[in-house]
Amino acid sequence: MTQNIEKLNKVLAFVKDTFVGKNDVVDLLGICLLARENAFLYGPPGTAKSAIVRTLANTVTDGKNFEYLLTRFTEPNEIFGPFDIRKLKEGELLTNTEGMMPEASMVFLDEIFNANSAILNSLLMALNEKIFKRGKETRKLPALMFVGASNVLPEDEALNALFDRFLIRINVDNVNPDLLQQVLLAGRKLENILETETPEIFSDEIRELQNLCKNIDLKPIYEVYLNTIINLRNTGIAISDRRAVKLQNLIAASALICGRKEAILSDLWVLKHIWDTEEQIEILEGIINRTIEKDDDPKSHPQALQNKIPNPEEVMKDVKILIEKWDSGTLSFEEQNVIKDKLRYLQTRCDWIRNPEQKQYIQQEIESLWQKILQTV
């Protein structure tokens, strides 16, 4: 176990070094790979979404990669392969999957929400059950992980089922301006294809780790996890029973990649990335940070307590928006709860502000709003 974990961590470290400022993206992809769950990358064009996945896929030495950009007119043959003409002459309707998605160990589908009805049903089954079904034809897929990407979130209700198949949602944005020079140098190096020693891992080694992931002891965090799911549902974040069950795989993967056989409180950090809308990103971060902040275990995952240093002006701006909304007096019960959750999140962010004067001023504004909220209870 230890040797394979070290190999996977070397692979992830290599991808992080290649793509400056994308540590969180790479770590989350590593978690999904271990848990054999699907990941969704959301962000504008030019943020290295496909390049990161391609680089990670290339480290799987004996793996077959499948990458495709979906359009509204993508046909099943382009994804799953054409019907086998030789078998068709014999009266059998079988698919020739050579070089196509059903034979791939790593699958990346760009602009996933362009999927049309012709491929949707087969795609849903592939994502959910890792099974390829077309007519009477059924086969298990060897895929270690599916990754989808898009620069928009689904608006059509017909695509909600597809979005739901991606357990983790990763927000991929342009890097911090402070890192731009490093990005330019790393990008230049990547474009020039300078020879570097690429770490390798075999697909069977990943499968062994995926099986070990199932044996991680979750009892130490089970009660906290249960209460967190209930709390998130009460906040308005929809988590189906199916997703609640599968999210345990991600928590186990966080423990395993850190070399542990049991989960600890900080492994719940992965729950920050189960949002359905952009508005839920901050709410989730606030709730989960409060849950895991007391865990100081030295074997915590590096992303567990990775709080970004906030911009005081942005925090103050967000506080002012909440004050204006509350003062409007036209909020429903659910909208009031959302404001409370956002205010708790901003309160947590405020603790990380370095300038003491700015920090004190914002804390006073937050406290003032809490007093208004308490007066209406």
Side-chain angles (χ1 to χ4, degrees):
M1 180 189 86
T2 305
Q3 185 179 2
N4 289 347
I5 285 294
E6 286 178 358
K7 289 184 77 171
L8 180 57
N9 277 320
K10 282 182 181 177
V11 162
L12 297 178
F14 168 75
V15 182
K16 290 178 196 175
D17 289 342
T18 306
F19 297 94
V20 175
K22 304 292 184 183
N23 287 10
D24 54 342
V25 179
V26 178
D27 281 331
L28 284 164
L29 288 175
I31 292 292
C32 288
L33 182 60
L34 260 187
R36 207 191 178 198
E37 296 293 350
N38 309 321
F40 170 69
L41 304 180
Y42 171 62
T47 49
K49 297 188 293 295
S50 57
I52 291 172
V53 177
R54 197 177 301 124
T55 303
L56 177 60
N58 288 338
T59 62
V60 184
T61 308
D62 59 340
K64 296 179 180 179
N65 305 326
F66 181 80
E67 180 179 334
Y68 206 81
L69 174 65
L70 274 65
T71 72
R72 297 288 180 192
F73 308 103
T74 299
E75 297 181 356
N77 292 355
E78 299 173 58
I79 303 294
F80 310 112
F83 286 114
D84 193 321
I85 301 298
R86 291 168 297 180
K87 295 290 184 182
L88 195 59
K89 289 178 180 178
E90 299 170 9
E92 290 186 76
L93 199 61
L94 294 176
T95 306
N96 179 6
T97 59
E98 186 178 352
M100 308 305 284
M101 193 195 81
E103 294 188 0
S105 54
M106 297 283 280
V107 180
F108 177 59
L109 300 173
D110 203 0
E111 297 304 333
I112 185 75
F113 298 125
N114 283 334
N116 56 52
S117 57
I119 64 173
L120 201 53
N121 286 338
S122 295
L123 201 54
L124 287 173
M125 181 163 283
L127 289 166
N128 194 41
E129 301 174 38
K130 305 298 186 290
I131 289 175
F132 168 58
K133 185 173 178 62
R134 195 179 189 187
K136 294 181 180 179
E137 188 178 5
T138 303
R139 69 175 78 174
K140 288 186 177 180
L141 298 176
L144 300 169
M145 177 174 63
F146 284 86
V147 181
S150 178
N151 52 27
V152 295
L153 294 177
E155 295 180 357
D156 187 346
E157 288 187 8
L159 295 171
N160 285 344
L162 181 60
F163 189 36
D164 192 61
R165 294 302 190 273
F166 293 94
L167 201 57
I168 281 288
R169 289 81 189 264
I170 308 172
N171 194 21
V172 188
D173 210 341
N174 291 306
V175 299
N176 189 304
D178 295 340
L179 298 173
L180 188 56
Q181 184 177 355
Q182 295 179 51
V183 171
L184 296 176
L185 293 172
R188 184 72 173 169
K189 181 180 178 181
L190 191 64
E191 283 193 351
N192 289 336
I193 318 178
L194 296 176
E195 284 193 19
T196 54
E197 189 175 340
T198 304
E200 298 176 342
I201 190 167
F202 291 96
S203 52
D204 282 346
E205 292 172 331
I206 294 174
R207 290 191 182 95
E208 285 177 18
L209 291 174
Q210 289 175 340
N211 288 328
L212 284 171
C213 203
K214 299 173 185 176
N215 299 322
I216 296 296
D217 185 9
L218 299 182
K219 290 177 185 175
I221 55 91
Y222 185 75
E223 186 176 349
V224 177
Y225 173 67
L226 183 63
N227 291 331
T228 302
I229 293 297
I230 294 170
N231 185 19
L232 292 176
R233 283 176 171 177
N234 291 337
T235 306
I237 297 173
I239 301 173
S240 65
D241 291 347
R242 182 179 66 83
R243 284 177 67 81
V245 170
K246 291 173 81 65
L247 285 170
Q248 295 174 103
N249 298 333
L250 300 176
I251 296 168
S254 175
L256 182 60
I257 208 164
C258 294
R260 290 182 272 105
K261 294 182 180 179
E262 64 176 29
I264 58 177
L265 189 61
S266 62
D267 289 321
L268 294 177
W269 72 273
V270 295
L271 300 182
K272 296 180 188 180
H273 305 278
I274 60 172
W275 46 268
D276 292 320
T277 64
E278 290 184 82
E279 290 74 22
Q280 291 177 357
I281 295 175
E282 288 187 356
I283 295 172
L284 273 167
E285 192 164 337
I287 292 172
I288 303 304
N289 277 345
R290 287 198 305 276
T291 303
I292 67 177
E293 64 186 357
K294 295 177 183 177
D295 190 345
D296 55 358
D297 194 302
K299 289 188 177 181
S300 292
H301 192 283
Q303 292 292 334
L305 297 174
Q306 188 69 30
N307 286 300
K308 298 173 183 175
I309 297 173
N311 182 326
E313 292 180 2
E314 290 181 2
V315 174
M316 190 64 239
K317 182 180 176 182
D318 290 339
V319 172
K320 291 290 186 185
I321 290 172
L322 295 184
I323 292 172
E324 289 174 8
K325 285 184 178 179
W326 189 268
D327 288 343
S328 69
T330 57
L331 300 171
S332 66
F333 179 72
E334 288 184 352
E335 288 171 331
Q336 288 181 353
N337 283 337
V338 169
I339 285 181
K340 291 175 187 176
D341 285 322
K342 285 187 175 181
L343 192 58
R344 292 189 190 100
Y345 167 74
L346 292 174
Q347 202 163 18
T348 303
R349 300 291 285 147
C350 191
D351 291 337
W352 290 78
I353 293 175
R354 291 173 175 172
N355 186 303
E357 293 179 359
Q358 291 175 321
K359 180 177 179 179
Q360 184 180 8
Y361 177 73
I362 296 171
Q363 285 176 333
Q364 287 174 350
E365 292 293 310
I366 290 174
E367 183 59 32
S368 176
L369 180 53
W370 275 124
Q371 292 300 323
K372 290 181 182 179
I373 291 171
L374 291 171
Q375 288 171 8
T376 60
V377 174

